[in-house]
Amino acid sequence: MEATVPDERPSTEGPATFREVFAQREFRAVFVAGALSWVGDYVAKAAVTLLVFQQTRSVALSAAAFAVSFLPWLLGGPVLAALAERYAYRRVMVACDLIRMALMLLIAIPALPYQAVLLLIFAATLANPPSQAAKSALIPQLLTGDRLVVGLSLNSSVGQAAQVVGYVFGAAVAAIDPEVALLFNAATFGLSALLVRLGVRHRPAVMNPAHRSHLLRETRQGFGIVFRTPVLRAIAVLVFSAMLFSIVPEGLAAAWANDESRGAVSAGTAQAAIMVANPVGFILGGLLVSRLFGPARRLMLMRPLAVLAPLLLVPVLLDPPPLVVALLAALCGFAVAGMLPMANGLFVQALPNGFRARAFGVMATGVQVIQGLAVLVTGVLAERFPIPVVVGLWSAAGVVLMAVATLRWPDRQTVDDAIAAASAANAAPPAANGRVSDGTVGGTSDPHAGDGHRRHAVT
């Protein structure tokens, strides 16, 4: 029997409204809980960085306190995210919040040695991959159709807003008392756990004990479903390419501002403007594009916006003032946010349910690694060449990369077939032996079936 395209697929009708999205009670709980956790996380980053610096007066150790939060993703993000597939998503999110709350309370103990602070902050951030993976996999169970795309856009935008608010608030509170900022973060995790526990109904795990194999094998299946499925691979390439250049102005902001301010504005003001420009543009782009354009128009805009994003940064070759750089970075963020939610929605619909958390782990880890490498490589190049030249040429290369990625984008029929195949896999019963084998969905069907040639942005 031929599989049909699922009802959840974005329709060609007008865009879903924010009211429709927030009318879903469980999504409201997840959205507010996520916003609280994110704000608390960024407050804690600012506080821990200052706390370590106050103890050691070492810039290197202070930077290490900031960077340690990225290590879980780099060292084992996909494996940690795969854990979320084994348990009920609500249970994973609540447990991770409670663990992080307890560890933040320990970090807030006065006069705790900085070595213990670094160890505890690392332990706390180990809960990030499974928590975020569970949330990413849960949202498509709460929202369908265009409400899913708008919900993903809202979720991405609040993450960017939390970064700006958290850093500003965290720096202000930490300057008075870092321990207070850490207690605030612990409270946000506690509230988040309570909201999810009371606001989200229990759903069984997508992988029961009989389906489990080895954790590393399950992780490998996550890589396989993303990179061996043409449509998912195409979306992954688009997302990774966007992250490769959009982060660069933010990463080089400090050196750029001190090198280019020329007294028009203070170096501190220039640095702040460049660093917050991309998140602000991302917030506006995600909200406006999702709200003003219907699903069909957003699908048409996705690839042009992907090429436009790096193109907007090419004019920095002309060495404009820092505030112009900030404007260009904001426009780049706007374009990236305009195309990501639609790509996100397609990725979710072309992805079998049993692989959602693992695929998110693969994508989130890839984004973290690519952003870090982009800043590292451009930083090294900027040691030998002027920053505007480095960023301008890097962005020009991004235009070429995005053009190639969009030209190789699967045709509409291929995407339709991929969504239909995922829908059929979701409806198929588990295999008789209850195991999930490599390259199969639920141990019963080929994930590439019906693909011909056939993604997930980080939600």
Side-chain angles (χ1 to χ4, degrees):
M1 179 175 177
E2 184 178 352
T4 57
V5 175
D7 292 339
E8 302 89 30
R9 181 181 168 199
S11 69
T12 57
E13 300 171 359
T17 65
F18 296 150
R19 181 189 295 273
E20 290 172 342
V21 172
F22 284 119
Q24 218 289 347
R25 182 182 63 85
E26 291 181 283
F27 177 77
R28 289 201 307 270
V30 171
F31 179 85
V32 176
L36 284 170
S37 295
W38 270 326
V39 170
D41 251 348
Y42 289 116
V43 167
K45 282 185 180 182
V48 168
T49 301
L50 180 59
L51 193 65
V52 172
F53 182 75
Q54 287 177 343
Q55 281 195 25
T56 65
R57 313 309 295 181
S58 168
V59 176
L61 286 173
S62 177
F66 181 88
V68 75
S69 62
F70 295 98
L71 283 179
W73 286 111
L74 302 181
L75 298 180
V79 178
L80 293 168
L83 286 172
E85 219 86 81
R86 293 185 165 199
Y87 306 98
Y89 296 140
R90 184 183 73 170
R91 181 182 175 187
V92 172
M93 294 168 68
V94 171
C96 288
D97 278 343
L98 292 177
I99 290 170
R100 290 182 289 189
M101 179 186 72
L103 292 171
M104 284 298 160
L105 289 174
L106 290 176
I107 297 171
I109 295 174
L112 195 68
Y114 76 88
Q115 296 94 334
V117 170
L118 293 176
L119 181 62
L120 288 170
I121 197 70
F122 174 75
T125 54
L126 286 173
N128 289 352
S131 175
Q132 293 185 33
K135 177 182 175 182
S136 173
L138 176 63
I139 289 178
Q141 296 183 352
L142 308 180
L143 300 173
T144 58
D146 196 49
R147 289 185 293 277
L148 172 61
V149 178
V150 175
L152 293 174
S153 179
L154 285 167
N155 193 55
S156 297
S157 296
V158 78
Q160 296 292 321
Q163 180 178 351
V164 176
V165 173
Y167 280 155
V168 173
F169 180 71
V173 175
I176 301 171
D177 190 340
E179 283 82 8
V180 172
L182 292 167
L183 291 173
F184 172 82
N185 188 28
T188 63
F189 283 132
L191 286 172
S192 175
L194 187 64
L195 281 168
V196 173
R197 179 63 182 82
L198 298 180
V200 177
R201 69 177 176 85
H202 173 75
R203 293 171 174 80
V206 297
M207 183 188 296
N208 60 45
H211 285 77
R212 296 176 188 171
S213 56
H214 191 281
L215 188 59
L216 291 179
R217 186 185 185 201
E218 293 166 13
T219 303
R220 189 170 67 249
Q221 291 168 353
F223 279 94
I225 197 72
V226 172
F227 293 111
R228 286 162 44 195
T229 306
V231 165
L232 302 184
R233 183 174 63 241
I235 300 173
V237 168
L238 204 66
V239 173
F240 291 158
S241 299
M243 297 302 107
L244 191 61
F245 57 81
S246 61
I247 189 65
V248 171
E250 185 178 342
L252 301 182
W256 206 338
N258 282 279
D259 187 41
E260 300 294 333
S261 60
R262 299 191 189 93
V265 293
S266 70
T269 300
Q271 177 182 346
I274 295 173
M275 289 192 76
V276 305
N278 190 272
V280 169
F282 193 99
I283 293 167
L284 294 175
L287 296 178
L288 292 178
V289 173
S290 294
R291 186 64 192 91
L292 296 178
F293 299 104
R297 182 62 58 85
R298 287 200 302 268
L299 187 60
M300 292 174 57
L301 289 173
M302 186 172 68
R303 283 176 284 175
L305 285 173
V307 177
L308 181 63
L311 185 62
L312 287 165
L313 292 176
V314 173
V316 302
L317 274 169
L318 302 176
D319 194 11
L323 294 184
V324 175
V325 172
L327 176 61
L328 294 172
L331 292 173
C332 173
F334 187 100
V336 170
M339 66 96 172
L340 277 184
M342 195 66 200
N344 239 332
L346 286 176
F347 189 90
V348 169
Q349 291 140 26
L351 180 67
N353 291 341
F355 289 86
R356 282 178 176 168
R358 282 174 282 177
F360 171 81
V362 171
M363 292 298 299
T365 301
V367 166
Q368 297 286 343
V369 172
I370 283 172
Q371 287 182 321
L373 285 175
V375 173
L376 178 62
V377 172
T378 53
V380 171
L381 291 173
E383 289 285 334
R384 301 193 59 183
F385 306 100
I387 294 177
V389 173
V390 171
V391 178
L393 292 179
W394 185 267
S395 301
V399 175
V400 176
L401 182 62
M402 278 300 203
V404 171
T406 56
L407 288 173
R408 294 179 60 85
W409 186 259
D411 60 33
R412 185 60 179 267
Q413 185 58 51
T414 298
V415 176
D416 289 348
D417 291 344
I419 296 173
S423 178
N426 293 338
N433 63 5
R435 296 181 67 85
V436 180
S437 60
D438 281 330
T440 67
V441 179
T444 61
S445 57
D446 184 351
H448 308 144
D451 262 356
H453 283 296
R454 97 167 190 95
R455 163 214 132 175
H456 177 132
V458 182
T459 58

